[in-house]
Amino acid sequence: MRRKPRSIRSKIVLALLAPVVALTGLWVIDVKASLTDATALRDTYNTRDNVSLPCDRMVAALQRERTRSAEFLATPDNNTEALGTQRAATDTAIAEFRELSRRYRGAGSPPTSPGPGSRTWPPASTR
């Protein structure tokens, strides 16, 4: 049995097939690494937007409320308007942080009702 001699076209195709397959494999590996980096970057932005920035706003609101509380205790006129306004702003920042953090965790359950540590304004003694 004699083999039929290969054509020049088939020899060229076979000579080019190995480098093309190797380059395609390298391209697939590179694309996978790029997609992994892009996904990690997106996750970082999600963490920043849903946890870090709301946490910073919450801490700033708590610090402003602390300042207002100290001013309230230091002044004899007992004007609760500024403190009440700041407490409402702080409660809003806390609620935003809790909601975004709950959503970021992926919890599908509705938010829980405020527990015994929840705050109300004005205090029961001044109502």
Side-chain angles (χ1 to χ4, degrees):
M1 283 186 142
R2 288 183 65 126
R3 293 180 124 180
K4 185 176 177 182
R6 293 185 178 159
S7 68
I8 294 178
R9 178 185 288 174
S10 65
K11 290 179 184 179
I12 292 172
V13 168
L14 287 176
L16 293 176
L17 188 63
V20 168
V21 169
L23 286 174
T24 303
L26 289 172
W27 177 78
V28 167
I29 291 170
D30 186 45
V31 167
K32 182 180 182 287
S34 297
L35 287 176
T36 303
D37 291 344
T39 303
L41 184 61
R42 187 190 64 207
D43 290 344
T44 301
Y45 284 143
N46 282 339
T47 302
R48 184 200 65 192
D49 293 342
N50 293 317
V51 178
S52 184
L53 294 177
C55 181
D56 291 344
R57 287 190 291 267
M58 180 183 67
V59 169
L62 286 168
Q63 289 295 338
R64 285 190 300 271
E65 181 182 332
R66 182 174 181 233
T67 301
R68 296 283 188 266
S69 296
E71 290 171 357
F72 172 75
L73 293 173
T75 58
D77 63 355
N78 290 333
N79 182 4
T80 61
E81 185 177 328
L83 182 56
T85 304
Q86 184 55 49
R87 284 199 99 175
T90 301
D91 290 342
T92 302
I94 290 171
E96 177 192 17
F97 174 74
R98 285 181 179 168
E99 175 63 24
L100 289 173
S101 295
R102 182 191 64 80
R103 244 190 286 152
Y104 181 71
R105 267 197 319 264
S109 60
T112 58
S113 61
S118 67
R119 304 174 338 150
T120 57
W121 184 258
S125 62
T126 60
R127 286 185 194 165

